[in-house]
Amino acid sequence: MKLMIINGPNLNLLGKREPEVYGSTTFEDYFNQLREKFSQVELEYYQSNIEGELIGKIQEVGFDYDGIILNAAAYTHTSVGIGDAVKAVETPVIEVHISNTHQREEYRHVSYISPGAKGVILGFGLQSYNLAIQSFLG
């Protein structure tokens, strides 16, 4: 099984940014833990702060991978383009969020990703990624 994790803007600052919301672990450290735990899965990871690069990566892997785990971060609530990219590819997408976006500002309650996603996992911290991988394993 081949899965791609795609992270959007500011997630490169995990471990430094708002640790009370996002924790103190960097995503790179957590990703290494995921690779160790799910050694039977070919896991890859991509992060960009640029909307068009995220769309490009979704299109690049969206026909050849078994699954995409997408945390589009703030673009979740603003990017029709990323939402359209999710709908355009054949690979199933699980939308993930570290925080429970419904407990945050009102504008974070709307997702342009969810209508095209296979499922949504939010509010479990970094464990949201673990749960998304497990959803692909059945």
Side-chain angles (χ1 to χ4, degrees), residues 35-53:
R35 275 191 153 159
E36 190 174 313
K37 179 174 183 169
F38 297 102
S39 59
Q40 75 278 26
V41 177
E42 186 178 336
L43 277 177
E44 295 182 34
Y45 164 59
Y46 178 80
Q47 189 277 329
S48 178
N49 294 319
I50 301 170
E51 182 179 17
E53 290 180 359

Side-chain angles (χ1 to χ4, degrees), residues 15-70:
K16 300 174 188 169
R17 173 188 176 211
E18 299 177 84
E20 67 282 358
V21 175
Y22 298 104
S24 58
T25 303
T26 68
F27 192 80
E28 290 74 19
D29 288 343
Y30 185 67
F31 182 67
N32 288 332
Q33 293 172 25
L34 289 174
R35 275 191 153 159
E36 190 174 313
K37 179 174 183 169
F38 297 102
S39 59
Q40 75 278 26
V41 177
E42 186 178 336
L43 277 177
E44 295 182 34
Y45 164 59
Y46 178 80
Q47 189 277 329
S48 178
N49 294 319
I50 301 170
E51 182 179 17
E53 290 180 359
L54 296 169
I55 292 168
K57 184 56 78 172
I58 291 166
Q59 292 176 355
E60 177 188 324
V61 304
F63 296 93
D64 300 322
Y65 283 58
D66 297 301
I68 296 171
I69 298 164
L70 174 61

